[in-house]
Amino acid sequence: MQTGSQNTNTGLVQPEAASPAPFRFFMPTELYFGPGQVQRVGEVARKFGTRALFVTGRRAMRESGILDRVLGHLRDAGVETVVFDRVTPNPLSTTVDEGAALARERRCDLVIGLGGGSAIDAAKGMAVAATNPGGIWHYSPLGDRAVPQQALPIVAVATTAGTGTEVDRYAVITNPATREKPGFAMEWMQPRAAIVDPELMLGVPPRTTAATGLDVLFHSVEAYLHRSASPASDLAASQAIRLVARWLPEAYRKGDNLEARYWMAWASTLAGVAINTAGTVLIHAMEHPLSGHYGVVHAEGLAALSQAVLEYDLPAARERLADVAAFLGAPQRDAEQALERIRQLRQAVELDVRLRDLGAREEDIPALAADCLRTMGGGVQANPRPADAAAIEEIYRRAL
Ligand SMILES: [Fe+2]
């Protein structure tokens, strides 16, 4: 649904439905939000099971002491844990299958993911693969497209303000054999409960704060531009955009500012709600092949693509981008101002990068465009301006 908007000089934007289209709002995750909420992980997990496959990355959670704290809370609540700590960034289908096998072998009755998007997405994949035959790729939108019949309940503990995966039904999983990195979307992957505790984010390094914060920005901007944007997704997306504009530079400069971490965590959660209700469009669709081919950090790829994609979208999304400009605090409600404000945000967090800085090569562009259409076709189709292979190749070239 495309909508027109009115503006006042106060920056208050009132989206106005062009046609009163129906929509579905799906947000069944029980959310525990705020400083100190991680202490409730045991009590929360206990609602769903007593032996958890506990999924996290190799180092950061252990080194920060967060892993031991969380395991201690679980032990105190009588939840046994089987730790799987081998998740890498851009998690692999093979890793998901290993974790799933461990869950089956040890008869786990729930899965807990602790970390950023990679750990939680891997946990989601394991919850499905542990209880259905054939390995996770069997259920991939690019594989056999099998439909799972069940999953273990999932509890997500987010430690970055980034993906919003703790409140959505998506998991992004890479096949190491084909380098394809599709988004899985299934209701079985929706966490039963999520804990978002900004105190866990105080120690996130600046570069990760910047990247994950821009991921929040693009989730919310893309949800706002999505062809199925609705009053429900707009509500979440617009507020997330405002919060990123206000708090991301502060969280980047002063990582120990709890107020900045709090509002960025809430922006991330809202952006997760926005993409669970609408979805992402062309920036995300074009980024996944970059992570798949070059192992690019997801949000650095988004940052590198964003200007060229939004310039492409501009003629088809003037009204919506003008709203975005207002959410970002631009002096005029003007679509070009949205692009300018987003550029300023990239600069404020020192991620105003180009694709070549991330290792992308001109000769790979046709393959990247083909991958984008094959693996992320849904996001392309939902884009406000239609894009074919030639258009996508041209955008990659402009972003190079
Ligand atoms: Fe993302």
Side-chain angles (χ1 to χ4, degrees):
M1 181 175 70
Q2 286 296 299
T3 64
S5 301
Q6 296 173 329
N7 184 42
T8 71
N9 291 333
T10 62
L12 179 70
V13 175
Q14 177 62 55
E16 188 184 272
S19 63
F23 63 89
R24 175 179 185 232
F25 184 66
F26 177 75
M27 194 18 233
T29 301
E30 186 179 351
L31 174 67
Y32 295 82
F33 187 94
Q37 291 300 291
V38 72
Q39 290 169 29
R40 305 183 70 171
V41 65
E43 148 206 354
V44 171
R46 198 74 175 73
K47 296 185 189 187
F48 305 106
T50 53
R51 186 183 291 177
L53 180 73
F54 190 94
V55 184
T56 191
R58 288 168 191 268
R59 285 181 37 206
M61 291 301 107
R62 201 176 284 283
E63 286 170 3
S64 64
I66 293 173
L67 176 62
D68 282 344
R69 268 177 68 199
V70 173
L71 292 178
H73 293 312
L74 289 164
R75 199 168 38 242
D76 293 347
V79 178
E80 207 184 312
T81 47
V82 177
V83 176
F84 182 95
D85 62 358
R86 297 197 294 278
V87 179
T88 54
N90 297 321
L92 304 177
S93 53
T94 45
T95 308
V96 169
D97 289 342
E98 275 175 50
L102 182 63
R104 272 196 302 273
E105 189 188 307
R106 300 292 298 277
R107 299 182 183 281
C108 296
D109 53 9
L110 101 130
V111 179
I112 301 174
L114 170 75
S118 301
I120 296 174
D121 283 7
K124 290 175 164 187
M126 290 171 195
V128 169
T131 49
N132 296 278
I136 194 63
W137 203 253
H138 187 47
Y139 303 91
S140 153
L142 306 176
D144 309 323
R145 295 169 164 267
V147 178
Q149 299 303 311
Q150 58 199 321
L152 295 176
I154 301 159
V155 173
V157 184
T159 61
T160 61
T163 64
T165 188
E166 65 279 1
V167 293
D168 74 35
R169 67 188 188 285
Y170 305 116
V172 181
I173 296 168
T174 300
N175 183 329
T178 62
R179 296 187 171 193
E180 291 163 326
K181 187 192 174 193
F184 291 60
M186 46 182 81
E187 292 182 9
W188 292 114
M189 288 183 168
Q190 181 86 26
R192 301 284 282 274
I195 295 178
V196 180
D197 183 339
E199 281 180 358
L200 300 183
M201 301 167 189
L202 293 170
V204 176
R207 180 95 179 186
T208 308
T209 301
T212 52
L214 290 182
D215 198 18
V216 176
L217 177 70
F218 295 120
H219 290 158
S220 44
V221 169
E222 290 179 60
Y224 200 75
L225 298 179
H226 195 281
R227 281 179 181 272
S228 300
S230 66
S233 60
D234 285 357
L235 180 67
S238 57
Q239 181 66 356
I241 296 168
R242 290 187 186 97
L243 290 171
V244 172
R246 168 69 182 83
W247 291 105
L248 176 58
E250 180 68 18
Y252 177 66
R253 282 192 304 266
K254 279 199 83 228
D256 60 353
N257 180 337
L258 182 61
E259 197 182 4
R261 295 292 191 183
Y262 181 99
W263 290 115
M264 280 307 299
W266 181 231
S268 173
T269 303
L270 283 173
V273 171
I275 59 173
N276 214 28
T277 309
T280 57
V281 286
L282 196 54
I283 303 176
H284 267 71
M286 289 183 63
E287 193 292 313
H288 283 216
L290 297 172
S291 301
H293 280 253
Y294 307 117
V296 160
V297 173
H298 171 58
E300 296 183 7
L302 300 175
L305 289 164
S306 54
Q307 181 76 14
V309 173
L310 292 173
E311 280 171 4
Y312 176 81
D313 285 341
L314 197 59
R318 284 203 171 270
E319 283 297 311
R320 291 249 116 187
L321 281 168
D323 290 350
V324 170
F327 303 147
L328 290 167
Q332 281 106 27
R333 190 183 158 274
D334 171 86
E336 265 101 8
Q337 286 280 317
L339 274 63
E340 175 58 20
R341 286 270 155 168
I342 290 170
R343 188 179 62 77
Q344 287 169 6
L345 272 171
R346 287 195 306 267
Q347 287 175 338
V349 297
E350 299 175 271
L351 269 182
D352 200 19
V353 290
R354 302 199 61 84
L355 287 183
R356 69 176 80 248
D357 303 328
L358 306 177
R361 291 181 309 228
E362 167 112 49
E363 60 265 33
D364 298 336
I365 286 178
L368 294 170
D371 248 28
C372 167
L373 284 163
R374 194 176 67 253
T375 64
M376 295 294 287
V380 178
Q381 278 168 22
N383 200 57
R385 183 172 172 190
D388 59 10
I392 291 170
E393 287 186 23
E394 182 56 25
I395 297 168
Y396 277 126
R397 262 181 220 107
R398 291 172 66 103
L400 201 62

